[in-house]
Amino acid sequence: MNSSAQMKAVTIPEFGGAEVLRVAGRPVPEPGPGQVAVDVAYAGANFAEILYRRGVVDVPLPFVPGIEVAGRIRAVGEGVEHLVVGQPVAALTIVDSGGYAEVAVTSADLVAPLDGLGLSMEVAAAVPSNSTTAFLVLDRVARIEPGQSVLVLAAAGGVGSQLGQAARLLGAGRVVGAVGSAAKIDTARSFGYDEVILRDRLADAGEFDIVVDMVGGPARRAGLDRLAPMGRLVVMGNASGAEDVGVPANELWFTNKTVSGFNLAAFSAAFPDETGRALRRAVAAAAAGELRVQVETLPLERAAEAHRRIESGTTTGKLVLAVAAP
């Protein structure tokens, strides 16, 4: 760390509600070997950062949240040769966090160059977490095959808005989204789903080869019930805050079903090369117009408002924080 230079950041000084977030001065981080520092223009706002703020994830305080950014390379660490100072990039900062700040450091493997792509920084900041997750969940975890059917249990949110589109790009047949309220149906439809249904109507939805659950609680149990033989349920969140749902192993044995988990932070730490490839694939798809990314921007100083809106379950698409927007 460069202790003499200071930057603006949103910090978590104590665990609690959105009101604990504070704008504060922090030392400017320097990249280590294999890392880069990014001058942040925009940072994505995600449910993961709310989990940090609530203390669900044990992090040292004060903590700077922020799992994805877009900006320009500020400095490169030893051994980094494929990225240069001043280069526009999108990056995952999910392993160590720190994106809600004027400067963030991350592994060079978790960076996607934006040169010549025509993708705005604002949209680029919304791609690394949700769009990368969509490709990894469907391709790497669920192992989707051409023509297979997919059900997404929160189709209007940030990652849900990308999963339906990614499923199409990966050759899915029927792609259905579920939402918690009728007000979200039209928004979810705009993200390319064949059908959008209410989660309390899942019993009538038929069977699916793949179900992606970021909701938890009764929706998780309903999603498991909707699996066809040899179907795969991928668990990647618990936005409902419900108690954990137990799945008897004997049930999986008798019904030929599979339950898998996916956590982008843990996957990025264990497989940075693979995560980086998926990130660059997602950025290229967004730049080509193959992925529609709906973005709403708030100033960094309104990070608490972004958290409250995400927690309320009323957001659609993606909220992005303007840090040092060009």
Side-chain angles (χ1 to χ4, degrees):
M1 303 288 282
N2 183 344
S3 59
S4 62
Q6 293 282 304
M7 65 175 181
K8 178 177 67 176
V10 167
T11 67
I12 301 171
E14 60 182 307
F15 298 126
E19 70 279 357
V20 304
L21 295 177
R22 292 287 182 272
V23 177
R26 296 286 294 167
V28 174
E30 299 287 347
Q35 294 184 321
V36 297
V38 177
D39 282 320
V40 178
Y42 295 93
N46 299 274
F47 194 78
E49 292 126 16
I50 290 168
L51 297 181
Y52 294 140
R53 195 205 69 222
R54 291 176 178 172
V56 174
V57 181
D58 187 18
V59 295
L61 300 179
F63 185 74
V64 180
I67 66 173
E68 61 182 342
V69 301
R72 292 185 177 273
I73 297 292
R74 175 188 180 91
V76 299
E78 181 182 350
V80 178
E81 299 178 351
H82 63 290
L83 298 166
V84 297
V85 172
Q87 188 173 18
V89 296
L92 274 168
T93 51
I94 193 166
V95 176
D96 296 312
S97 203
Y100 288 14
E102 291 179 310
V103 181
V105 165
T106 192
S107 166
D109 290 329
L110 301 177
V111 172
L114 300 176
D115 314 62
L117 293 181
L119 193 65
S120 72
M121 289 277 188
E122 189 177 9
V123 172
V127 170
S129 173
N130 293 335
S131 305
T132 302
T133 292
F135 280 113
L136 287 172
V137 161
L138 292 168
D139 196 14
R140 179 70 155 84
V141 184
R143 302 189 183 279
I144 190 170
E145 296 179 5
Q148 290 192 323
S149 54
V150 177
L151 170 65
V152 177
L153 295 186
V159 69
S161 72
Q162 301 301 288
L163 277 161
Q165 299 179 80
R168 285 277 181 240
L169 292 175
L170 293 169
R174 183 183 180 219
V175 183
V176 176
V179 293
S181 68
K184 293 187 176 183
I185 289 177
D186 287 343
T187 298
R189 280 182 180 146
S190 73
F191 292 118
Y193 288 95
D194 293 318
E195 307 165 52
V196 179
I197 60 176
L198 294 174
R199 281 197 292 271
D200 60 10
R201 305 283 179 84
L202 285 175
D204 302 322
E207 292 186 330
F208 295 86
D209 299 298
I210 297 167
V211 176
V212 184
D213 170 38
M214 59 285 276
V215 179
R220 182 163 300 164
R221 180 65 249 182
L224 184 64
D225 291 340
R226 298 277 57 79
L227 285 182
M230 299 307 294
R232 289 87 74 197
L233 170 67
V234 182
V235 175
M236 50 162 294
N238 189 41
S240 67
E243 291 295 319
D244 197 8
V245 176
V247 180
N250 280 350
E251 178 183 348
L252 303 179
W253 166 35
F254 284 124
T255 58
N256 291 300
K257 297 177 181 180
T258 298
V259 177
S260 300
F262 180 80
N263 179 285
L264 183 60
F267 192 92
S268 299
F271 307 105
D273 289 347
E274 188 172 355
T275 305
R277 287 194 296 272
L279 166 62
R280 291 182 283 276
R281 181 183 191 182
V283 166
E290 296 172 338
L291 284 178
R292 174 174 167 258
V293 183
Q294 178 180 305
V295 172
E296 179 184 350
T297 304
L298 296 172
L300 178 66
E301 291 77 8
R302 290 168 63 185
E305 177 185 335
H307 277 216
R308 290 188 186 99
R309 288 175 59 182
I310 293 170
E311 286 177 290
S312 74
T314 59
T315 56
T316 57
K318 187 63 173 281
L319 293 176
V320 169
L321 302 173
V323 180

